[in-house]
Amino acid sequence: MAGPVRRTLEELATDFHVTRERVRQLEGPADADIRHHLEHAEDWLPVRWAVQTLIRQAGSIAPLALLEGCVPKADRRVRNLIRWLAGYKQSAGMLIRDGFTLPSVKDLPRVDGNERVIDEYELIELLEGAGVLAEHVPLAIDQIAGLYRVDEQLVDWTGSLVDKTIAVLELRDEPQELDDLFDVVGKGSVRSFRQRVFEDKRLSRVTKTKLGLSSWGGTRYTTVVDLMVSRLQGGPRLISDLAQELEETYEVSTASVSMYCYAPIFKVSGYIVALRRADDPFVPRDKAEQVQGLCLLGESLIWHVPVDGDILRGSGRAIPHEIGTFLGLAPGNPGLLLRNPIAHIPVTWSEKTHVGPSIGSLQAQANALGAQVGDVLRLSFGERLGVDMSLVAPPRHAETPAERLSRLTGLPEADCADGDRVAEAIGVPKDQVFETLIKRGDELWAEAFQELIEG
């Protein structure tokens, strides 16, 4: 139902061809006259009953439909008169008594010890004390901005996603799965949500997949490696015992513990893992001949990487130990920036990762080259910490084996004229080149090399 059309004094003065002051003068006596009739005139008795019925049934706030029930056969003007005489305004489908204001969410009573869980019993008492009838309390609660029900309990739902996460944790009073929390409070990406809750000091990651409140204290999950380090500071442990303990306490998978044992910060001896001593340095793998897509060209190193969705999304990736060593990196040492005309690229080698050194995003270079998924990106690491990039060209018509081998490997065609220089670039004797290339996954190189030798 539409509300009454409110007229300004200026509009009424214009309609009745009088001044604003004259309208004001007429308003007072008219109001007094109406009030007098309401109190004393017998023919106004039905109006008086309707007004009293509305006040009795509406309290401080009620649905607008209640007005229609009080005077079911009256037209809109009569209903608006009854509402006005009863002292109510109409707003958003509700009747609100003049002078009544709903409390704001920040002023609502909280359950003891919680910042965001609302004490609903006290809230009901607060509303009823302000004249809200019991049957209209749910309506009043629904109109308080910033309230939300989680598990049938009212919580303060204002603020950020982190604030709402805190509300759920306070309510449930025990660590919750990250995915379950995101289902309740999440908007946007799960990745963004995880990053925000992990960064907030009010929250604590208590297992790999569960979150709690920092105020609860207790165990705190950081990373698998940090948990392993803290346990191994007391001395070497059986890998199986360490894995079982971390699984029971932090829900870390035993497979993860077994993998991380081979991070440079640890030393594995049989079934025992310990923290690596300063006098027992980590020795990187040095088997360049086994690395797929890798070959030597004088003082340069060439590595081939299939273009995939991760590259085009801007993700970094692990690189072989041999490339890290070639660049002068060692686990735990400061990283470096590889010079590139499109954008410099960071390379690091953490002593806490078992996957070796890593290189930053290659997205800018791949985009500049027009790379698509399925292409092969060639990285040429040269002197003075630089890296050049290109795409492996598609096959040409009537290629010779030497031309095909040069196109695939990035070696000069002259170096691909005989098998000796190719063997030198791969790092194995000539009679082992074919088998080595097959084993490491460079089948196209192997086929071209075989044709070269047989030709």
Side-chain angles (χ1 to χ4, degrees):
M1 176 187 295
V5 179
R6 301 188 65 83
R7 310 294 300 281
T8 66
L9 293 177
E10 188 69 39
E11 291 171 337
L12 291 171
T14 300
D15 288 349
F16 291 99
H17 305 290
V18 295
T19 65
R20 290 178 55 189
E21 184 57 31
R22 182 55 179 160
V23 172
R24 194 187 305 277
Q25 292 172 353
L26 294 171
E27 181 182 15
D31 180 88
D33 187 53
I34 293 173
R35 299 290 180 183
H36 176 79
H37 280 76
L38 179 66
E39 293 292 331
H40 304 289
E42 291 188 7
D43 55 346
W44 277 63
L45 186 58
V47 176
R48 191 182 315 152
W49 287 343
V51 168
Q52 293 173 348
T53 299
L54 181 59
I55 294 173
R56 186 174 63 255
Q57 294 183 3
S60 294
I61 186 171
L64 184 61
L66 190 66
L67 175 60
E68 300 176 13
C70 289
V71 281
K73 297 182 179 180
D75 61 19
R76 181 174 61 87
R77 288 175 178 258
V78 172
R79 288 175 181 167
N80 286 331
L81 175 63
I82 299 299
R83 176 185 56 77
W84 173 71
L85 289 171
Y88 290 92
K89 59 185 176 182
Q90 175 181 333
S91 175
M94 294 178 297
L95 293 169
I96 302 175
R97 189 187 64 207
D98 291 341
F100 173 76
T101 302
L102 285 167
S104 67
V105 67
K106 66 181 181 62
D107 296 325
L108 299 184
R110 264 53 173 178
V111 172
D112 290 343
N114 293 308
E115 295 182 4
R116 304 187 70 86
V117 181
I118 306 301
D119 189 325
E120 191 163 354
Y121 294 106
E122 286 194 25
L123 173 58
I124 292 172
E125 289 183 0
L126 176 68
L127 293 173
E128 290 181 343
V132 178
L133 302 180
E135 59 266 33
H136 302 320
V137 164
L139 171 68
I141 290 176
D142 286 345
Q143 302 306 312
I144 300 176
L147 277 184
Y148 188 69
R149 286 196 182 273
V150 177
D151 303 338
E152 302 303 319
Q153 171 66 52
L154 287 174
V155 293
D156 180 343
W157 210 240
T158 59
S160 65
L161 289 180
V162 174
D163 294 324
K164 295 173 182 177
T165 300
I166 291 171
V168 177
L169 289 170
E170 284 187 344
L171 174 62
R172 295 179 175 174
D173 199 29
E174 63 180 2
Q176 298 292 304
E177 292 285 344
L178 286 161
D179 289 344
D180 291 343
L181 288 169
F182 181 76
D183 288 342
V184 178
V185 308
K187 290 182 179 178
S189 71
V190 175
R191 182 177 181 180
S192 175
F193 170 74
R194 287 172 175 261
Q195 180 177 354
R196 293 173 67 177
V197 296
F198 289 162
E199 291 175 350
D200 198 288
K201 294 181 179 179
R202 296 171 294 174
L203 300 172
S204 175
R205 193 177 179 187
V206 297
T207 73
K208 184 177 181 181
T209 61
K210 286 184 178 180
L211 199 68
L213 293 176
S214 297
S215 59
W216 292 342
T219 58
R220 182 181 181 93
Y221 177 95
T222 51
T223 66
V224 175
V225 172
D226 288 339
L227 296 174
M228 293 171 65
V229 168
S230 68
R231 296 304 191 275
L232 293 173
Q233 286 174 345
R237 300 279 300 275
L238 278 170
I239 295 175
S240 57
D241 289 349
L242 177 63
Q244 181 177 356
E245 179 183 341
L246 295 183
E247 181 183 41
E248 292 175 353
T249 306
Y250 298 100
E251 300 180 5
V252 174
S253 74
T254 55
S256 294
V257 175
S258 297
M259 287 190 301
Y260 279 112
C261 282
Y262 294 93
I265 196 172
F266 303 120
K267 174 67 179 284
V268 174
S269 301
Y271 300 105
I272 303 294
V273 61
L275 291 176
R276 186 176 296 278
R277 302 190 313 270
D279 61 355
D280 185 16
F282 174 78
V283 179
R285 186 188 63 230
D286 184 18
K287 297 181 179 179
E289 70 280 1
Q290 296 180 8
V291 179
Q292 184 177 8
L294 190 69
C295 59
L296 297 170
L297 178 60
E299 299 299 321
S300 299
L301 196 66
I302 302 175
W303 185 45
H304 296 81
V305 184
V307 176
D308 55 18
D310 288 337
I311 285 181
L312 298 182
R313 282 192 297 270
S315 302
R317 63 181 46 227
I319 59 176
H321 287 203
E322 292 77 7
I323 295 179
T325 302
F326 175 84
L327 296 173
L329 286 174
N333 288 354
L336 54 86
L337 277 178
L338 294 175
R339 294 180 299 100
N340 180 269
I342 303 298
H344 295 341
I345 306 168
V347 181
T348 58
W349 196 342
S350 170
E351 63 179 350
K352 294 183 177 182
T353 178
H354 64 290
V355 298
S358 62
I359 191 168
S361 172
L362 307 177
Q363 182 186 48
Q365 292 78 10
N367 288 341
L369 293 169
Q372 303 291 326
V373 173
D375 291 339
V376 177
L377 190 62
R378 175 178 294 139
L379 285 71
S380 300
F381 300 92
E383 298 179 353
R384 300 176 59 187
L385 298 180
V387 59
D388 294 324
M389 296 191 203
S390 60
L391 291 179
V392 172
R396 298 191 300 271
H397 178 66
E399 281 181 321
T400 65
E403 289 173 337
R404 179 150 45 102
L405 200 54
S406 173
R407 176 179 59 80
L408 291 171
T409 64
L411 298 172
E413 189 174 330
D415 287 355
C416 297
D418 64 72
D420 294 334
R421 299 297 296 273
V422 175
E424 182 181 341
I426 302 303
V428 296
K430 183 176 178 180
D431 62 355
Q432 296 180 18
V433 170
F434 179 80
E435 181 182 358
T436 298
L437 291 175
I438 291 294
K439 284 183 177 180
R440 74 184 203 177
D442 288 321
E443 291 87 356
L444 294 179
W445 295 18
E447 292 174 4
F449 179 80
Q450 188 69 14
E451 291 183 21
L452 177 70
I453 298 302
E454 293 176 351

